[in-house]
Amino acid sequence: MKIGIIGAGQLGRMLALAGYPLGLRFVFLDKTPEAPGGQVGQIIEGEFDDPAALARLAELTDVVTFDVENVPEAAVREIAEKVQFLPPVGALATAQDRLSEKRTFSALHIPTPRFLPVATREALELAVTQLGFPSVLKTRRMGYDGRGQRFLKGPEDVDDSWEALGRMPMILEAFVEFDTELSIIGVRRPSGDIRFYPLAENIHEEGILSYTRAPYVDGPLQDTAERYSRRLMEHLDYAGVLTIEFFVEGDQLLANEIAPRVHNSGHWTIEGAVTSQFENHIRAILDLPLGETRCNGHSAMVNLLGEMPELTDVLSLAGAHVHDYGKEPRPNRKLGHCTLVAPDSDERDRALSRLLELAGRSLR
Ligand code: AMP
């Protein structure tokens, strides 16, 4: 069997690494032959909406999936007629647009921060009078890792932010004074079988995930997150891995966004869970039995951003596993990650603190 992946970033690379032991082979579509997936599979070079490149990907493979969300919907609708395409195009389309994402949360009674669609400068004026300051202005499309969003502290930020974000359709969100941020990773087979990983706690810096710890042990929040995720996956007739990111406010979960794919906050599952999110995504899109999602201990995952720390230093930490994506260094670029697995959370946190120091950051 051959799996096609639109996008050959680190997520695609890790999907392929998880699929090789199952006897699967991988073909990627990406703009650049140097993308990380190229180290472990063939890359067809092309834009994500290049009809000839997409047709070739469909020809060469049995199932097509994606490791990026910003794939034009019309292009994938076409490919989905030629080859099995999962997760479903409808789920991708919902996640690509912050407004349809939020409307889906609301329709499914999944709490989300208060928001208003903002199509024009005048609409923004009105929206800030309703939601007040601070608030967060986000482009509807193409936002990731803190890009495409601005925090509005007061009226003086409105003009600048509207201009800086490109005067395009946006949403304005109420600022949430969250206690922490959590994510739930669920996986569903086309036949309906569903599994969930334990909640993970995520610390962002400048909109980019800095580190994740799992499991985040809270029975009631785990149940609530699973209920929301199940509702969403059933609504979307989903197949594959789906992530929901939440803000925690007291005992409430507010859904921030969904990712219809494997997620950075699930990288710890490679060594920290019985079956990784990557393998489970592949099992799901092939409608194979899903793997156990239990933890092997207490894990932390630190993103290695901008430059890689000394390998010897990192590997001298007990329970450390390094993943180097083979990317050119650039400020704040995700070049790799390191997962620590420890028998208890205290030991994990001590090692995490040292690892963060090596990465030039600190525990928060
Ligand atoms: P996003 O691109 O929506 O995932 O946002 C990236 C990060 O910005 C989130 O993980 C939060 O840390 C922060 N953020 C986004 N929206 C809000 C909000 N409405 N209130 C407070 N913080 C937010």
Side-chain angles (χ1 to χ4, degrees):
M1 287 280 267
K2 272 201 175 162
I3 313 273
I5 304 182
I6 303 178
Q10 60 267 22
L11 301 179
R13 180 182 186 263
M14 288 186 270
L15 283 168
L17 290 173
Y20 267 90
L22 296 174
L24 306 168
R25 294 298 174 263
F26 292 81
V27 183
F28 299 92
L29 167 63
D30 205 284
K31 283 170 271 206
T32 135
E34 286 91 43
Q39 299 155 18
V40 293
Q42 178 192 348
I43 291 190
I44 298 170
E45 267 183 76
E47 296 293 329
F48 296 147
D49 58 353
D50 174 345
L54 282 166
R56 176 127 181 83
L57 186 70
E59 238 171 66
L60 289 177
T61 58
D62 303 287
V63 184
V64 172
T65 188
F66 48 90
D67 92 334
V68 282
E69 269 142 78
N70 296 323
V71 186
E73 186 189 338
V76 288
R77 287 221 180 268
E78 222 177 294
I79 192 173
E81 280 170 18
K82 297 188 187 119
V83 67
Q84 187 159 41
F85 182 90
L86 290 169
V89 182
L92 177 64
T94 302
Q96 279 176 346
D97 178 359
R98 286 192 194 272
L99 183 57
S100 64
E101 193 174 63
K102 297 262 184 228
R103 285 184 168 154
T104 304
F105 290 145
S106 301
L108 296 176
H109 304 287
I110 298 173
T112 188
R114 287 187 300 139
F115 69 96
L116 287 168
V118 166
T120 61
R121 180 71 184 75
E122 292 69 39
L124 175 57
E125 209 60 53
L126 201 65
V128 292
T129 60
Q130 291 186 45
L131 295 182
F133 299 103
S135 47
V136 193
L137 186 61
K138 301 180 176 181
T139 57
R140 280 177 57 176
R141 292 178 175 276
M142 305 296 273
Y144 63 97
D145 286 346
R147 282 180 240 197
Q149 73 177 52
R150 287 285 192 113
F151 289 82
L152 308 185
K153 294 194 192 72
E156 65 284 1
D157 293 334
V158 174
D159 261 334
D160 270 8
S161 303
W162 175 251
E163 291 297 321
L165 292 176
R167 290 182 266 167
M168 54 174 81
M170 303 189 202
I171 63 167
L172 187 73
E173 264 178 46
F175 181 83
V176 181
E177 291 277 0
F178 54 77
D179 303 317
T180 191
E181 296 186 75
L182 302 179
S183 55
I184 185 92
I185 296 182
V187 56
R188 183 178 189 265
R189 279 176 76 172
S191 52
D193 189 19
I194 291 182
R195 296 207 180 193
F196 297 101
Y197 288 91
L199 283 169
E201 181 180 29
N202 304 314
I203 306 298
H204 293 86
E205 283 178 28
E206 294 171 37
I208 301 178
L209 181 64
S210 173
Y211 63 91
T212 292
R213 282 186 286 196
Y216 183 87
V217 184
D218 183 318
L221 287 187
Q222 180 80 34
D223 290 346
T224 305
E226 290 187 9
R227 231 177 334 106
Y228 294 159
S229 175
R230 178 182 294 275
R231 212 178 284 165
L232 194 57
M233 287 199 279
E234 285 173 353
H235 169 77
L236 296 168
D237 197 14
Y238 201 78
V241 160
L242 178 126
T243 310
I244 312 181
E245 292 185 80
F246 296 103
F247 301 125
V248 183
E249 237 189 351
D251 58 2
Q252 263 239 346
L253 288 178
L254 297 177
N256 175 31
E257 62 176 355
I258 62 176
R261 54 168 171 78
V262 288
H263 192 257
N264 199 168
S265 68
H267 291 0
W268 64 272
T269 60
I270 296 177
E271 295 90 4
V274 176
T275 316
S276 76
Q277 62 163 348
F278 300 99
E279 181 173 337
N280 259 337
H281 181 74
I282 286 167
R283 290 194 193 198
I285 63 174
L286 296 178
D287 205 9
L288 292 168
L290 300 177
E292 285 282 333
T293 48
R294 261 179 303 118
C295 293
N296 292 324
H298 292 258
S299 297
M301 186 285 316
V302 171
N303 270 334
L304 303 172
L305 305 168
E307 62 178 322
M308 290 296 284
E310 251 330 299
L311 194 57
T312 318
D313 295 341
V314 179
L315 292 181
S316 67
L317 297 173
H321 302 271
V322 171
H323 298 252
D324 182 334
Y325 311 145
K327 285 157 67 170
E328 281 299 312
R330 218 189 285 148
N332 265 345
R333 192 175 198 201
K334 290 177 181 169
L335 301 181
H337 74 264
C338 178
T339 298
L340 301 164
V341 186
D344 61 65
S345 57
D346 288 341
E347 197 172 313
R348 185 243 353 246
D349 288 346
R350 278 193 295 276
L352 170 60
S353 172
R354 289 205 297 281
L355 175 58
L356 282 167
E357 242 170 73
L358 294 174
R361 282 169 272 150
S362 55
L363 201 60
R364 293 210 316 194

